[in-house]
Amino acid sequence: MTRTLPAVDLRVPTHEDAFAWHRVFDDPDVMEFLGGRAAAELSVHHEATARQRMHDAELGYCLWSLVNGDGDVMGFAGAQPWRHAWGPVGEIEIGWRLGRAYWGKGYATAAALTTVDRLREAGVGSVVAMVDALNTRSIAVTRRLGMERTETFVTPTGRQGHCFRLAL
């Protein structure tokens, strides 16, 4: 049986989207594989949305706000340069994070596929996805994208993860 994916709208995050990101990520389940704490301070989301607007202006891609048909921000999906001194330094990371209410409906896969298309159009040659080894939902999305697990890593906080790669 083939699953029909929902339509998704990915837009450059606005200043106001910082409030929405803060709200939808203020859930320990959503943050389970990102330190386990509920959402960061609102100022962190203001900084993140501003950084994504800069990425979009400079690179033609970013972590876009994922918006449903009612105009509600469900989370984000997109890509950005890897930001850490460890891991795939110098590479482009594809990623997604959705509020709990939107899990299991195909939004992450649909948004990731849209991201891949946009990255190809922007001339990006390959992407990585850094995923916690226990995050079966995100690992399933990488598989649907056709990504291959190429490395296992340990984060600076001691969590085991996998690096998935996809040539575009």
Side-chain angles (χ1 to χ4, degrees), residues 33-79:
F33 302 110
L34 299 165
R37 296 183 316 271
E41 295 295 321
L42 180 58
S43 62
V44 171
H45 296 289
H46 280 296
E47 178 186 313
T49 55
R51 184 174 52 253
Q52 298 314 314
R53 288 189 295 277
M54 180 188 71
H55 286 327
D56 187 73
E58 293 177 357
L59 305 171
Y61 56 86
C62 66
L63 295 176
W64 295 287
S65 287
L66 174 56
V67 182
N68 68 15
D70 295 328
D72 299 322
V73 175
M74 298 183 283
F76 64 67

Side-chain angles (χ1 to χ4, degrees), residues 10 52 55-64 77-82 91-96 108-130 141 145 147 164-168:
L10 296 175
Q52 298 314 314
H55 286 327
D56 187 73
E58 293 177 357
L59 305 171
Y61 56 86
C62 66
L63 295 176
W64 295 287
Q80 65 179 347
W82 180 253
E91 298 196 57
I92 305 303
E93 180 192 28
I94 188 171
W96 45 86
T109 299
L113 288 167
T114 299
T115 295
V116 166
D117 290 343
R118 288 184 180 186
L119 293 172
R120 282 186 181 119
E121 291 172 12
V124 174
S126 65
V127 293
V128 297
M130 301 292 279
V141 174
L145 292 177
M147 299 184 90
F164 296 85
R165 295 180 182 278
L166 179 66
L168 303 178

Side-chain angles (χ1 to χ4, degrees), residues 1 51 65 73 79 105 132-133 150 152 163 165:
M1 179 171 124
R51 184 174 52 253
S65 287
V73 175
K105 298 178 171 113
D132 188 289
T150 58
T152 298
C163 179
R165 295 180 182 278

